[in-house]
């Protein structure tokens, strides 16, 4: 959630938890409708993946459809918020296709089924890069890597945003905005 610290600063803890729970329920519904796995909630963020534990050759299509569904759902929710005089909730999404290790990770007594690897980091860095393309009007910004763009083919409207050297990468990553 873009600007989450400011939201957290004005809401009492109970209302903040209610806000997050409502928000996460909307996002999880869009992800699960595309048979994605909600991996975890990290503060004001959600991490999801496709392709495990069951192989999904169309994982990139599913992730992009989920992102567009999230944008549509948030647009409708922001219309509702506007009618109540509330500010829009802005979200950024990063999508990358690649190889990750998926399985139980952690210490005895606290194991999580999750995914790890450099390709997971690239998705998170794309989400961070999306901040540079956020118009600030409540529009959801979705950035995907060239790898994901190749996977989805021609069924989506994309706009190139250039190549960017993402933190932790030695080579620039070509990115596209999903419209």
């Amino acid at each position: 959630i873009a600007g989450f610290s400011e939201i957290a600063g004005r809401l009492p803890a109970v209302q903040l938890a209610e806000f997050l729970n409502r928000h996460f329920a909307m996002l999880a519904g869009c992800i699960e409708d595309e048979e994605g796995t909600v991996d975890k909630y990290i503060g004001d963020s959600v991490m999801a993946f496709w392709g495990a534990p069951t192989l999904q050759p169309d994982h990139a299509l599913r992730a992009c459809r989920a992102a567009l569904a999230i944008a549509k759902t948030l647009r409708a929710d922001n219309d509702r918020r506007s009618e109540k005089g509330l500010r829009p909730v802005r979200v950024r999404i990063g999508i990358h296709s690649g190889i990750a290790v998926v399985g139980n990770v952690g210490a005895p007594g606290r194991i999580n089924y999750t995914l790890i690897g450099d390709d997971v980091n690239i998705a998170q860095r794309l989400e961070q890069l999306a901040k540079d393309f956020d118009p600030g009007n409540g529009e959801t910004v979705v950035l995907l890597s060239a790898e994901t763009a190749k996977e989805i083919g021609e069924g989506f409207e994309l706009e190139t945003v250039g190549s960017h050297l993402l933190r932790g990468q030695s080579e620039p990553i070509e990115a596209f905005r999903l419209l």
Side-chain angles (χ1 to χ4, degrees), residues 96-157:
H96 177 64
S97 298
I99 303 296
V101 174
V102 182
N104 293 324
V105 176
R110 182 66 182 204
I111 301 289
N112 290 315
Y113 180 77
T114 190
L115 72 164
I116 57 174
D118 192 47
D119 287 313
V120 177
N121 295 335
I122 291 172
Q124 195 269 335
R125 301 294 189 258
L126 286 167
E127 179 274 325
Q128 290 175 338
L129 177 64
K131 183 177 190 176
D132 295 344
F133 302 95
D134 185 351
N137 62 1
E139 182 180 341
T140 299
V141 179
V142 182
L143 292 187
L144 22 136
S145 66
E147 288 80 359
T148 300
K150 288 176 201 166
E151 291 275 344
I152 63 173
E154 297 186 14
F156 296 87
E157 185 178 352

Side-chain angles (χ1 to χ4, degrees), residues 7-148:
I7 295 168
R10 10 176 254 273
L11 291 177
V14 171
Q15 285 181 309
L16 184 61
E18 290 169 355
F19 167 81
L20 282 173
N21 289 339
R22 183 177 186 285
H23 175 76
F24 287 148
M26 287 188 292
L27 273 58
C30 296
I31 292 163
E32 291 164 358
D33 285 349
E34 289 295 336
E35 298 181 17
T37 299
V38 173
D39 180 31
K40 64 182 65 119
Y41 301 105
I42 310 161
D44 62 333
S45 300
V46 62
M47 184 168 128
F49 61 89
W50 283 259
T54 304
L55 184 63
Q56 294 169 312
D58 61 346
H59 63 276
L61 292 168
R62 292 171 185 269
C64 289
R65 286 193 306 251
L68 291 174
I70 287 168
K72 181 179 179 182
T73 298
L74 288 176
R75 196 167 24 255
D77 191 56
N78 281 336
D79 289 345
R80 179 196 63 81
R81 290 176 61 79
S82 177
E83 289 173 6
K84 293 182 172 187
L86 300 171
R87 296 179 209 161
V89 174
R90 298 177 0 259
V91 172
R92 299 183 302 263
I93 299 172
I95 303 174
H96 177 64
S97 298
I99 303 296
V101 174
V102 182
N104 293 324
V105 176
R110 182 66 182 204
I111 301 289
N112 290 315
Y113 180 77
T114 190
L115 72 164
I116 57 174
D118 192 47
D119 287 313
V120 177
N121 295 335
I122 291 172
Q124 195 269 335
R125 301 294 189 258
L126 286 167
E127 179 274 325
Q128 290 175 338
L129 177 64
K131 183 177 190 176
D132 295 344
F133 302 95
D134 185 351
N137 62 1
E139 182 180 341
T140 299
V141 179
V142 182
L143 292 187
L144 22 136
S145 66
E147 288 80 359
T148 300

